[in-house]
Amino acid sequence: MNVNELNLRHLRVLTLVHRFGSFTQAASHAHVTQPAASQALSQLEAQLNCVFFERQPDGATPTPFADSFAPRINRALEFLPSHKVTMAQIRAFIGLADAGTYAAAGAQLGLSAPSLHRAMRDLGIISGKTLMTRRGRGLAFTQDGRALVRRFRLAMAELRAGLSELENLRGYEVGRIAVGAMPLSRARVLPRAISSFRKLYPEVDIAVSEGSHFELIEPLRDGELDLLVGALRDSDLGPDVTQSPLFEDHPVVLGRAEHPLANTPDVKLSHLASYEWALPPENTPLRQQWAEMFTQEDLHPPPVPIESGSVLLIRELVRQSDLLTLLSADQVAVELQAGWLMRICRAPSHLVRRIGITARTGWRPTRLQSLLLSALEDAAQQH
């Protein structure tokens, strides 16, 4: 089911009945009549094909469906500025953020311009803040507007997780897991984990978005990605993100098979400093550690005429020149086996990358997401 089809008022009634065990008390807190609360829940049960409560003369007993779904709904509602917000307003606001103009958003969502304007006006009134301003033909979201877009995305992520868990309770191992894959994770650990997971749960879709940490961290914060796998950061990422290590990676210095240093028995840092390098950008942990490798020995880091986060690009450039690079052996295992690249030397023992999982603080993985996390841990141990 599409999460956009849910009615937030009906969902709130479910959480209140779950909290109080009574339709009467739930109706009172929702400021509706008892028959209206009962009808709202009946409509939700029919829509989702679930029985959430066993109705009894002295109250309502929650079923496992209610026990699973209610916490997800509560979490989603916490992200909203008011119980007056509707799903239509959330959909319109996220659509505008994605499209950038009323015309483009209307075309994508199938909504008229007046409907979008009305939704934005009502959201501004509900939140009591200026959410966006005109900028030429486009829109510019204020800081409050950007924050609200993120909260809406996170609310939708919680509801999608809740719907997935309902399907699992019905015996259907289906769902979708969105993973952000940074360069090193793509070599062995993530493919091995996904392959192992898919053998047990072939009906679950796994969407992998490749990119650098810089490219993936904001989609994670927005709830568009469930987790990131790759090199962890030593710097503080803020209270909204947590990191969990899986294993340590020790990079090696690589060059082409015919590189002048290929047959040097005792390669020193002074030798490495006399060649140009192809490396990831300066804001990456590996690049920072590479620079420290030289400065700690009172050597000036050599020139880096090629900066790229693409292992494929760096690999090919190193094969065709005397450029050196610093990568995990896992990332070029095929090239090393074929003899196209060669290990020039080991990097200093202190040069190590922690590879792990980055997730939102307070993230509650679904059962299937937890199983993928276990598969990642198993793959890391094999590594």
Side-chain angles (χ1 to χ4, degrees), residues 308-375:
S308 175
S310 169
V311 174
L312 178 62
L313 176 64
I314 288 180
R315 181 185 68 192
E316 291 304 309
L317 288 171
V318 170
R319 281 183 59 188
Q320 300 174 35
S321 69
D322 284 342
L323 287 167
L324 295 176
T325 192
L326 191 65
L327 291 173
S328 166
D330 282 346
Q331 293 176 288
V332 289
V334 173
E335 290 74 15
L336 288 171
Q337 186 175 3
W340 298 333
L341 294 179
M342 185 172 184
R343 297 188 192 206
I344 302 300
C345 64
R346 291 179 177 271
S349 59
H350 67 269
L351 202 158
V352 61
R353 286 186 292 182
R354 292 185 307 141
I355 309 304
I357 295 167
T358 305
R360 293 183 299 279
T361 301
W363 176 56
R364 288 183 55 219
T366 64
R367 173 177 170 272
L368 292 173
Q369 290 166 346
S370 294
L371 290 170
L372 180 60
L373 289 173
S374 296

Side-chain angles (χ1 to χ4, degrees), residues 32-210:
V32 298
T33 64
Q34 191 275 336
S38 181
Q39 183 181 28
L41 192 58
S42 296
Q43 290 177 356
L44 186 61
E45 289 177 324
Q47 185 182 26
L48 298 179
N49 192 28
C50 294
V51 175
F52 290 111
F53 297 96
E54 298 293 340
R55 277 77 162 173
Q56 300 169 348
D58 58 346
T61 302
T63 67
F65 292 106
D67 287 335
S68 172
F69 201 27
R72 290 289 181 187
I73 299 171
N74 279 323
R75 176 72 170 162
L77 295 178
E78 288 173 0
F79 288 115
L80 307 185
S82 167
H83 66 271
K84 297 180 180 180
V85 173
T86 67
M87 186 63 76
Q89 291 167 344
I90 293 176
R91 181 168 174 257
F93 200 54
I94 293 176
L96 274 172
D98 291 339
T101 66
Y102 280 98
Q108 291 179 11
L109 300 175
L111 297 174
S112 65
S115 295
L116 287 173
H117 281 283
R118 182 167 57 253
M120 295 308 98
R121 183 186 66 245
D122 292 344
L123 272 179
I125 294 172
I126 290 171
S127 65
K129 298 176 180 177
T130 300
L131 302 176
M132 63 180 69
T133 58
R134 286 279 190 179
R135 181 174 292 175
R137 296 184 177 181
L139 298 170
F141 282 77
T142 64
Q143 183 175 351
D144 290 328
R146 291 191 297 272
L148 188 59
V149 170
R150 172 163 291 171
R151 295 178 70 86
F152 280 174
R153 292 191 196 278
L154 291 172
M156 298 294 272
E158 288 291 338
L159 293 178
R160 283 193 294 269
L163 293 179
S164 176
E165 289 171 332
L166 292 182
E167 290 295 316
N168 298 158
L169 283 174
R170 279 196 285 262
Y172 301 107
E173 300 289 4
V174 297
R176 181 179 182 274
I177 304 175
V179 180
M182 289 178 274
L184 184 56
S185 69
R186 307 169 204 160
R188 292 192 181 183
V189 173
L190 183 57
R192 183 178 291 166
I194 291 176
S195 178
S196 173
F197 178 87
R198 291 273 301 160
K199 289 177 182 177
L200 298 175
Y201 307 100
E203 301 301 318
V204 178
D205 295 329
I206 299 179
V208 179
S209 299
E210 298 183 2

